[in-house]
Structures are given as structure tokens and as C-alpha cells.
Amino acid sequence: MCGAKAGGPDLAGVDVANETIIQGSVTRDGEPVNGYVRLLDENNEFTAEVPTSATGQFRFFARPGKWTLRALVPGQTVDRQVVASQGTAVEVAIAV
């Protein structure tokens, strides 16, 4: 069982201009999906994992660069590639 907070870390008190944030939601037919999202580096090496929130949301703090998000939901795995930059939150919608 993952000990991470569902949906990822909270942004309260965070200076977003100094962070690199990758966040979004996982849905199926427009409805939130419970599962996990993994963050893989440019070599597809595991970096982090968070459970989705009740609304299907997730969030990672990362370094700038290329990443793969892997949504792990019942019966399906979906990958999305993203490029993250400091000071900008990358929003990713993953439909499974």
C-alpha cells in the first residue's frame, strides 16, 4: 500500500514559481477513477507514485525535463509523456 497522500501533495504555502509541478486527473467516460499514477524519468525509471484522489486527481513535484506518467487503474495501464518546466504547473488529463 502506498503511503502517499491521495491526489498528491497540497499546494498550500508552496511558492509555485520555484517549483516544477505535474498534475492532472484520471477519468473513464468522464468519471474519476481510483488508482495510482507513477512518475517515470526519461529512462523509464520509477521516481514516484501517488494514489488518485476521490476526484481522480494527482500531483507531483519534479525537476524540469521529460517525464512519463503511468496511470494504473483496474484493468488498464495508460502512459502519457510530458515536459515540465519550473514555475509552471503541467496539467495532464488521462482518459482510460
Side-chain angles (χ1 to χ4, degrees):
M1 178 167 196
C2 179
K5 178 180 176 185
D10 190 353
L11 290 178
V14 174
D15 182 359
V16 177
N18 290 321
E19 300 293 341
T20 303
I21 301 168
I22 302 170
Q23 62 186 16
S25 61
V26 181
T27 60
R28 178 181 286 138
D29 299 324
E31 296 296 320
V33 177
N34 287 325
Y36 292 87
V37 179
R38 287 186 179 162
L39 184 66
L40 308 174
D41 69 13
E42 62 238 4
N43 297 313
N44 280 328
E45 294 292 327
F46 175 87
T47 301
E49 179 178 272
V50 294
T52 59
S53 69
T55 58
Q57 297 190 325
F58 62 90
R59 178 177 300 121
F60 294 101
F61 290 89
R63 63 169 168 68
K66 296 178 183 179
W67 296 93
T68 298
L69 296 171
R70 178 167 291 157
L72 306 166
V73 299
Q76 204 164 2
T77 300
V78 177
D79 286 358
R80 293 285 183 270
Q81 281 70 44
V82 299
V83 177
S85 301
Q86 183 175 334
T88 304
V90 176
E91 292 284 340
V92 183
I94 302 174
V96 297

